[in-house]
Each structure stands twice: as structure tokens, then as C-alpha cells.
Amino acid sequence: KSSLLWTKGWYIMGLVQVATTTVTSAVASVTLTGIDSDDVYVCYVNKLRPSTSGADLQCRVTESGTANSTTNYDQAYKFMPSSTSFSNSSSTNLNKWDLTGSIDTSASGNYSASIYYIYNANNSSEYTFLTWENIYTASNGIYGGSVFTSASSVNGLQFFMDTGNISAGTFTFYKVV
């Protein structure tokens, strides 16, 4: 599947679907692969629900389809709640990225959607970068950037919860063309 945004006679951005997984019963993780070029890729996560209330979504890169659990994960983000002050957080030398705040288990829970842009993944002489946005139904947001500090060829992402399983959600990978 592909789509293009058309405006004023120009194609702005095209998306070519690379992989998609819809979780309808509990799984320990979701792995999306298919990065095979130096293009930018984007991953959308919708209707995510953990099996354990208060769980956070975690992520690792995959190399040749296998998740890398070394301590090469750095990140920084801004938490932007609608009811209190913004706050910043940063961490280095982790064995995964922590991508969300606490998500509850109800179908109408506090989580809405996430967008992750992936840069330099296929280039084995560059670090892989992620920029991301998480939107919550309670008008909160978390916006951040992450880097995998190993020059390697990354072909995908593995998502999992910090506690319990993923009980629902749709994960879709696109190549930006």
C-alpha cells in the first residue's frame, strides 16, 4: 500500500507500507522488520494496550531480525502534560529505549497513538536515530529523540512492555518516499 499527499501541484510525502502487525491477544513483543534502504522510515502505533496497568512501551533495534540488547541506547524527551509544568528527562547507556509513560489497560485508556521516525538505520557507518511523539487522550504528550550509539545496519524495531505483555495494538512500518 502507498499513499501520497498532494497539495498545490506537488507531492509532499509518500508512504509505502513495509510491515504491519495487529495484536488481538497478549504477546511478549512485536517485531517489525523491512528497513532495506537509506530512506527515512516511520512507524505508527495505535490503540496500544498493555496487559498490566501502568506499563511503559519499550523498544530495541533489530539487526538481521534479532533485537540488540547492548547498552547503546540514549534518549531525551519532554513530558508535556496539560495540567502541570513541562518536564525533561534524559538517559544514556541503556539497554532499550523507554518510549511512553504509564499506559492503563482499559480499551478507552489514557493512550492514543505514537509516531516514530527512523533515520540512518540501513547505513552501517552511522548511528540510528529516532524522533518520536506520543499522544495521550488526557491531553498529555511526550516528545523525544533517541539514538542507538553503534554504527550498524538496523533492519527493524522490536516493541515490548516494561512489565507484562502487549494485549492490543496496531504497529505499522512505512518507508517515506
Side-chain angles (χ1 to χ4, degrees), residues 54-116:
D56 297 346
L57 183 65
Q58 315 280 290
C59 181
R60 289 187 174 119
V61 301
T62 62
E63 298 161 316
S64 300
T66 302
N68 183 313
S69 60
T70 60
T71 56
N72 290 319
Y73 295 85
D74 298 350
Q75 66 183 44
Y77 58 88
K78 181 175 284 290
F79 177 61
M80 299 171 43
S82 60
S83 60
T84 61
S85 299
F86 297 171
S87 62
N88 298 314
S89 180
S90 63
S91 301
T92 60
N93 303 321
L94 303 170
N95 68 355
K96 74 334 193 185
W97 291 313
D98 187 10
L99 297 179
T100 68
S102 299
I103 302 171
D104 79 34
T105 57
S106 70
S108 61
N110 62 331
Y111 174 83
S112 182
S114 297
I115 301 171
Y116 305 102

Side-chain angles (χ1 to χ4, degrees), residues 10 12 17 34 37 47 93 112 118 123 138 142 155 169 176:
W10 292 90
I12 304 294
Q17 185 174 318
S37 71
K47 300 180 183 175
N93 303 321
S112 182
I118 305 125
N123 189 335
I142 299 176
N155 74 329
V176 178

Side-chain angles (χ1 to χ4, degrees), residues 4-173:
L4 294 172
L5 179 61
W6 176 263
T7 182
K8 297 183 183 180
W10 292 90
Y11 285 108
I12 304 294
M13 178 176 71
L15 300 176
V16 176
Q17 185 174 318
V18 175
T20 190
T21 297
T22 299
V23 176
T24 57
S25 60
V27 296
S29 65
V30 171
T31 301
L32 297 176
T33 59
I35 295 174
D36 62 1
S37 71
D38 292 334
D39 294 297
V40 173
Y41 286 76
V42 62
C43 181
Y44 293 99
V45 178
N46 295 299
K47 300 180 183 175
L48 175 66
R49 204 168 57 228
S51 62
T52 304
S53 195
D56 297 346
L57 183 65
Q58 315 280 290
C59 181
R60 289 187 174 119
V61 301
T62 62
E63 298 161 316
S64 300
T66 302
N68 183 313
S69 60
T70 60
T71 56
N72 290 319
Y73 295 85
D74 298 350
Q75 66 183 44
Y77 58 88
K78 181 175 284 290
F79 177 61
M80 299 171 43
S82 60
S83 60
T84 61
S85 299
F86 297 171
S87 62
N88 298 314
S89 180
S90 63
S91 301
T92 60
N93 303 321
L94 303 170
N95 68 355
K96 74 334 193 185
W97 291 313
D98 187 10
L99 297 179
T100 68
S102 299
I103 302 171
D104 79 34
T105 57
S106 70
S108 61
N110 62 331
Y111 174 83
S112 182
S114 297
I115 301 171
Y116 305 102
Y117 285 93
I118 305 125
Y119 304 91
N120 296 336
N122 189 59
N123 189 335
S124 62
S125 61
E126 296 283 342
Y127 291 170
T128 298
F129 293 88
L130 216 69
T131 60
W132 42 277
E133 305 170 19
N134 295 318
I135 307 301
Y136 294 82
T137 55
S139 299
N140 297 327
I142 299 176
Y143 306 90
S146 303
V147 61
F148 180 65
T149 59
S150 175
S152 67
S153 183
V154 168
N155 74 329
L157 299 175
Q158 179 192 57
F159 295 94
F160 56 98
M161 306 309 292
D162 67 338
T163 182
N165 291 320
I166 298 170
S167 63
T170 301
F171 299 75
T172 309
F173 229 12

